[in-house]
Coordinates of all heavy atoms in Angstrom, one line a residue:
Y1 N -6.4 1.4 12.2 CA -6.4 1.9 10.8 C -4.9 2.0 10.3 O -4.0 2.4 11.1 CB -7.0 3.2 10.7 CG -8.5 3.2 10.9 CD1 -9.1 3.5 12.1 CD2 -9.4 2.9 9.9 CE1 -10.4 3.5 12.4 CE2 -10.8 2.9 10.1 CZ -11.3 3.2 11.3 OH -12.6 3.2 11.5
A2 N -4.7 1.8 9.1 CA -3.4 2.2 8.5 C -3.3 3.7 8.5 O -4.3 4.4 8.3 CB -3.3 1.7 7.1
D3 N -2.1 4.3 8.6 CA -1.9 5.7 8.7 C -2.4 6.4 7.4 O -3.0 7.5 7.5 CB -0.4 6.0 8.9 CG 0.1 5.7 10.3 OD1 -0.8 5.5 11.2 OD2 1.3 5.6 10.4
S4 N -2.3 5.7 6.3 CA -2.7 6.3 5.0 C -4.2 6.5 4.8 O -4.6 7.2 4.0 CB -2.1 5.4 3.9 OG -2.7 4.1 4.0
V5 N -5.0 5.8 5.6 CA -6.4 6.0 5.5 C -7.1 6.6 6.7 O -8.3 6.9 6.7 CB -7.1 4.6 5.2 CG1 -6.4 3.9 4.0 CG2 -7.1 3.7 6.4
R6 N -6.4 6.7 7.8 CA -7.0 7.2 9.0 C -7.6 8.6 8.7 O -6.9 9.5 8.2 CB -6.0 7.3 10.1 CG -6.6 7.6 11.5 CD -5.5 7.5 12.6 NE -5.2 6.1 12.9 CZ -3.9 5.7 12.6 NH1 -3.0 6.4 12.1 NH2 -3.7 4.4 12.9
G7 N -8.8 8.8 9.2 CA -9.5 10.0 9.0 C -10.3 10.1 7.7 O -11.2 11.0 7.5
R8 N -10.1 9.1 6.8 CA -10.9 9.1 5.5 C -11.7 7.8 5.5 O -12.8 7.8 4.9 CB -9.9 9.1 4.3 CG -9.0 10.3 4.2 CD -8.2 10.3 2.9 NE -7.3 9.2 2.8 CZ -7.3 8.3 1.8 NH1 -8.3 8.4 0.9 NH2 -6.4 7.3 1.8
F9 N -11.3 6.7 6.1 CA -12.0 5.4 6.0 C -12.5 5.1 7.4 O -11.9 5.5 8.4 CB -11.1 4.3 5.6 CG -10.6 4.3 4.2 CD1 -10.8 5.4 3.3 CD2 -9.9 3.2 3.6 CE1 -10.4 5.5 2.0 CE2 -9.5 3.2 2.3 CZ -9.7 4.4 1.5
T10 N -13.7 4.5 7.4 CA -14.3 4.0 8.7 C -14.7 2.6 8.6 O -15.4 2.2 7.6 CB -15.5 4.9 9.1 OG1 -15.1 6.3 9.2 CG2 -16.1 4.4 10.4
I11 N -14.2 1.8 9.5 CA -14.6 0.4 9.5 C -15.7 0.2 10.6 O -15.6 0.8 11.7 CB -13.4 -0.6 9.8 CG1 -13.8 -2.0 9.6 CG2 -12.8 -0.4 11.2 CD1 -12.6 -3.0 9.6
S12 N -16.7 -0.7 10.3 CA -17.7 -1.0 11.3 C -18.2 -2.4 11.0 O -17.9 -3.0 10.0 CB -18.9 0.0 11.1 OG -19.5 -0.1 9.8
R13 N -18.9 -2.9 12.0 CA -19.4 -4.3 11.8 C -20.8 -4.4 12.5 O -21.1 -3.7 13.5 CB -18.4 -5.3 12.4 CG -18.2 -5.3 13.9 CD -17.1 -6.2 14.3 NE -17.4 -7.6 14.2 CZ -16.6 -8.6 14.4 NH1 -15.3 -8.3 14.6 NH2 -17.0 -9.9 14.4
D14 N -21.6 -5.3 11.9 CA -22.9 -5.6 12.5 C -22.8 -7.1 12.9 O -22.8 -8.0 12.0 CB -24.0 -5.4 11.4 CG -25.3 -5.7 12.0 OD1 -25.5 -6.5 12.9 OD2 -26.3 -5.1 11.4
N15 N -22.6 -7.3 14.2 CA -22.4 -8.7 14.6 C -23.6 -9.6 14.4 O -23.5 -10.8 14.2 CB -22.0 -8.7 16.1 CG -20.6 -8.2 16.3 OD1 -19.7 -8.3 15.5 ND2 -20.4 -7.5 17.5
A16 N -24.8 -9.0 14.4 CA -26.0 -9.7 14.2 C -26.1 -10.3 12.8 O -26.7 -11.3 12.5 CB -27.2 -8.9 14.5
K17 N -25.5 -9.5 11.9 CA -25.5 -9.9 10.5 C -24.2 -10.5 10.0 O -24.0 -10.9 8.8 CB -25.8 -8.7 9.6 CG -27.2 -8.1 9.8 CD -27.4 -6.9 8.9 CE -28.8 -6.3 9.0 NZ -29.1 -5.2 8.1
N18 N -23.2 -10.6 10.9 CA -21.9 -11.1 10.6 C -21.3 -10.4 9.4 O -20.8 -11.1 8.4 CB -22.0 -12.7 10.3 CG -22.3 -13.4 11.6 OD1 -21.8 -13.1 12.7 ND2 -23.1 -14.4 11.5
T19 N -21.5 -9.1 9.4 CA -21.0 -8.3 8.2 C -20.1 -7.2 8.7 O -20.4 -6.6 9.8 CB -22.3 -7.7 7.5 OG1 -23.1 -8.8 7.1 CG2 -21.8 -6.9 6.3
V20 N -19.1 -7.0 7.9 CA -18.2 -5.8 8.2 C -18.2 -4.9 7.0 O -18.4 -5.3 5.9 CB -16.7 -6.3 8.5 CG1 -16.1 -7.0 7.2 CG2 -15.8 -5.2 8.9
Y21 N -18.1 -3.6 7.3 CA -18.2 -2.6 6.3 C -17.0 -1.7 6.3 O -16.3 -1.6 7.3 CB -19.4 -1.7 6.6 CG -20.7 -2.4 6.7 CD1 -21.2 -2.8 8.0 CD2 -21.5 -2.7 5.6 CE1 -22.4 -3.4 8.1 CE2 -22.7 -3.4 5.7 CZ -23.1 -3.8 7.0 OH -24.3 -4.4 7.1
L22 N -16.7 -1.1 5.2 CA -15.6 -0.1 5.1 C -16.1 1.0 4.3 O -16.3 0.9 3.1 CB -14.4 -0.7 4.4 CG -13.1 0.2 4.4 CD1 -12.6 0.4 5.8 CD2 -12.0 -0.4 3.5
Q23 N -16.4 2.1 5.0 CA -16.8 3.4 4.3 C -15.5 4.1 3.9 O -14.7 4.5 4.8 CB -17.6 4.2 5.3 CG -18.1 5.5 4.7 CD -19.0 5.4 3.5 OE1 -19.9 4.6 3.6 NE2 -18.8 6.2 2.5
M24 N -15.4 4.4 2.7 CA -14.2 5.1 2.1 C -14.6 6.4 1.6 O -15.3 6.5 0.6 CB -13.5 4.2 1.1 CG -13.2 2.8 1.5 SD -12.3 1.8 0.3 CE -13.5 1.6 -0.9
N25 N -14.1 7.5 2.2 CA -14.4 8.8 1.7 C -13.1 9.5 1.2 O -12.0 9.0 1.5 CB -15.0 9.6 2.9 CG -16.3 9.1 3.3 OD1 -17.1 8.5 2.6 ND2 -16.6 9.3 4.6
S26 N -13.2 10.6 0.5 CA -12.1 11.3 0.0 C -11.1 10.4 -0.6 O -9.8 10.5 -0.4 CB -11.4 12.1 1.2 OG -12.3 13.0 1.8
L27 N -11.5 9.6 -1.5 CA -10.7 8.6 -2.1 C -9.6 9.3 -3.0 O -9.9 10.3 -3.7 CB -11.5 7.6 -3.0 CG -12.2 6.6 -2.1 CD1 -13.4 5.9 -2.9 CD2 -11.2 5.5 -1.7
K28 N -8.4 8.6 -3.0 CA -7.3 9.1 -3.8 C -6.9 8.0 -4.8 O -7.2 6.9 -4.6 CB -6.1 9.4 -2.9 CG -6.4 10.4 -1.7 CD -5.2 10.5 -0.8 CE -5.5 11.5 0.3 NZ -4.4 11.6 1.2
S29 N -6.2 8.4 -5.8 CA -5.7 7.5 -6.8 C -4.9 6.4 -6.2 O -4.9 5.2 -6.6 CB -4.9 8.2 -7.9 OG -3.8 8.9 -7.4
E30 N -4.2 6.7 -5.1 CA -3.3 5.7 -4.5 C -4.1 4.7 -3.7 O -3.6 3.7 -3.2 CB -2.3 6.3 -3.6 CG -2.8 7.4 -2.6 CD -2.6 8.8 -3.2 OE1 -2.9 9.0 -4.4 OE2 -2.2 9.7 -2.4
D31 N -5.4 4.9 -3.6 CA -6.3 3.9 -2.9 C -6.7 2.8 -3.9 O -7.3 1.8 -3.5 CB -7.6 4.5 -2.4 CG -7.3 5.5 -1.2 OD1 -6.4 5.2 -0.4 OD2 -7.9 6.6 -1.2
T32 N -6.4 2.9 -5.2 CA -6.7 1.9 -6.2 C -6.0 0.6 -5.8 O -4.8 0.5 -5.6 CB -6.3 2.4 -7.6 OG1 -7.0 3.5 -7.9 CG2 -6.5 1.3 -8.6
A33 N -6.8 -0.4 -5.7 CA -6.3 -1.8 -5.3 C -7.4 -2.8 -5.3 O -8.6 -2.4 -5.5 CB -5.7 -1.7 -3.9
V34 N -7.1 -4.0 -5.2 CA -8.1 -5.0 -4.9 C -8.2 -5.1 -3.3 O -7.2 -5.2 -2.6 CB -7.7 -6.4 -5.4 CG1 -8.7 -7.5 -5.0 CG2 -7.5 -6.4 -6.9
Y35 N -9.4 -5.0 -2.8 CA -9.6 -5.0 -1.4 C -10.2 -6.4 -1.0 O -11.1 -6.9 -1.6 CB -10.6 -3.9 -1.1 CG -10.0 -2.5 -1.1 CD1 -9.6 -1.9 -2.2 CD2 -9.8 -1.8 0.1 CE1 -9.0 -0.7 -2.3 CE2 -9.2 -0.6 0.1 CZ -8.8 0.0 -1.1 OH -8.2 1.2 -1.1
Y36 N -9.5 -6.9 0.1 CA -9.9 -8.2 0.5 C -10.4 -8.1 2.0 O -9.8 -7.5 2.8 CB -8.7 -9.1 0.5 CG -8.1 -9.4 -0.8 CD1 -7.1 -8.6 -1.4 CD2 -8.5 -10.5 -1.6 CE1 -6.6 -8.9 -2.6 CE2 -8.0 -10.8 -2.8 CZ -7.0 -10.0 -3.3 OH -6.5 -10.2 -4.6
C37 N -11.5 -8.9 2.2 CA -12.0 -9.0 3.6 C -11.3 -10.2 4.2 O -11.0 -11.2 3.6 CB -13.5 -9.3 3.5 SG -14.3 -9.6 5.0
N38 N -11.0 -10.0 5.5 CA -10.4 -11.0 6.3 C -11.1 -11.2 7.6 O -11.6 -10.3 8.2 CB -8.9 -10.6 6.6 CG -8.2 -11.6 7.5 OD1 -8.2 -11.4 8.7 ND2 -7.6 -12.6 6.9
A39 N -11.2 -12.5 8.0 CA -11.9 -12.8 9.3 C -11.1 -13.8 10.0 O -10.5 -14.7 9.4 CB -13.3 -13.2 9.1

């Protein structure tokens, strides 16, 4: 995790579904951005 999101965001993946998730909690205005998935 990036230091700025550690403790607030959680990444997980379901290999059977080939899907990755990002749970974002306690969002701040500085989290505003375009989010891109990378594989």
Side-chain angles (χ1 to χ4, degrees):
Y1 295 96
D3 288 343
S4 59
V5 306
R6 189 174 289 112
R8 300 187 297 122
F9 291 10
T10 302
I11 190 170
S12 61
R13 66 189 284 175
D14 185 331
N15 290 330
K17 296 181 178 180
N18 293 319
T19 300
V20 64
Y21 306 95
L22 186 68
Q23 179 66 43
M24 304 185 294
N25 298 329
S26 302
L27 282 160
K28 305 175 181 180
S29 57
E30 50 263 45
D31 295 318
T32 294
V34 178
Y35 283 70
Y36 296 91
C37 178
N38 176 268

